[in-house]
Amino acid sequence: LSHLTLYSYWRSSSSWRVRWALAHKGISYSLKEVNLLAEDQLAPGYLKYSPTGTVPCLVLPNGNAYGESLPILEWLEETYPTPPLLPQDPESRLAVRQLAHVIISQIQPLQNLSVLKKLTQDGLASRDWARHWIQKGLGAFEALLEGKNCSGTYCFGGELTWADLCLVPQCYNARRFDVDLELFPRIRGIEGRCLKLPSCQSAFPRDPKIQP
Ligand SMILES: N[C@@H](CCC(=O)N[C@@H](CS)C(=O)NCC(=O)O)C(=O)O
């Protein structure tokens, strides 16, 4: 395969999942920054790639563009299977997908920028709303880690998986909304170990306006 292009926003948790998967698998790609605060995601040129007006969006070497981080992670897994980000057996994969979906489906959509903007427009306390849903969702995530006793170095045993790729960016958002992560010792431990990984560090949010 030749070149991939990723449309991403530096502080977008969904984009971070994909940047991290690309880094873990050692795949080179071009990064295009979509500034969500400047509403670049709503520009007609970008909506042609991503009609939902969201990042991430991956453009394949054949020019076709696809959004939604989890299907993108699936495609990367199918196209570049090593090193893997999913365990081998079906039940273990089910457990990892469940963890990933708690974040992808039950937390992130409720604290997404456009949702919070609409709440604010309607006169509601959007930060309280976001904090509530993040804390509730991470509480369930912590209980899942504990109940199935599946957590180890990472969310599912000793290997990095999609569950970690979803969890760590969500922890970053949790802090932005003042969620107390001390409530979740398993999550905190996994986050700390993930943040030491070079692949995680290379995908970590960095404001492109600030030179390193
Ligand atoms: N389910 C989508 C969510 C994508 C999404 O909500 N992206 C956010 C950034 S993390 C976004 O582009 N928000 C733009 C907006 O709300 O206007 C995925 O997993 O890719």
Side-chain angles (χ1 to χ4, degrees):
L1 281 185
S2 70
H3 220 61
L4 298 171
T5 301
L6 180 70
Y7 285 87
S8 157
Y9 174 57
W10 66 280
R11 219 155 49 166
S12 144
S13 59
S14 312
S15 303
W16 182 356
R17 295 169 196 153
V18 176
R19 292 197 304 267
W20 190 356
L22 287 159
H24 177 77
K25 289 176 180 292
I27 303 165
S28 68
Y29 64 101
S30 305
L31 185 73
K32 293 216 169 144
E33 191 69 14
V34 178
N35 184 346
L36 299 186
L37 296 184
E39 300 203 330
D40 290 355
Q41 72 277 29
L42 303 178
Y46 184 67
L47 287 173
K48 272 195 207 133
Y49 284 116
S50 173
T52 54
T54 54
V55 285
C57 177
L58 186 71
V59 186
L60 305 190
N62 66 9
N64 293 337
Y66 295 90
E68 290 296 330
S69 61
L70 193 67
I72 293 172
L73 294 184
E74 301 258 10
W75 181 85
L76 289 172
E77 206 56 32
E78 288 158 2
T79 313
Y80 304 88
T82 44
L85 280 167
L86 268 186
Q88 280 308 309
D89 74 284
E91 185 171 347
S92 300
R93 287 174 176 240
L94 176 59
V96 167
R97 288 185 163 109
Q98 178 189 13
L99 288 167
H101 264 286
V102 169
I103 289 168
I104 292 179
S105 311
Q106 297 203 41
I107 305 180
Q108 188 275 335
L110 294 167
Q111 51 100 94
N112 186 31
L113 180 65
S114 54
V115 171
L116 299 188
K117 268 191 190 162
K118 176 76 171 91
L119 288 169
T120 305
Q121 274 166 15
D122 293 353
L124 297 167
S126 64
R127 282 187 64 83
D128 290 349
W129 160 280
R131 189 181 318 109
H132 170 82
W133 293 113
I134 296 170
Q135 187 160 320
K136 183 170 186 291
L138 289 182
F141 198 100
E142 179 83 7
L144 280 168
L145 292 177
E146 190 179 340
K148 291 219 179 63
N149 215 7
C150 54
S151 65
T153 307
Y154 303 115
C155 288
F156 194 81
E159 303 297 331
L160 196 71
T161 64
W162 293 345
D164 306 292
L165 270 53
C166 293
L167 177 66
V168 175
Q170 188 60 60
C171 289
Y172 176 90
N173 281 356
R175 287 202 177 79
R176 290 179 62 201
F177 290 103
D178 302 319
V179 173
D180 180 8
L181 287 176
E182 297 303 323
L183 296 168
F184 310 123
R186 281 187 172 71
I187 288 176
R188 289 259 296 119
I190 291 166
E191 184 203 25
R193 290 185 285 279
C194 285
L195 287 172
K196 294 197 182 110
L197 296 172
S199 62
C200 183
Q201 285 167 10
S202 76
F204 192 87
R206 272 180 210 89
D207 186 343
K209 290 192 293 297
I210 299 171
Q211 296 304 315

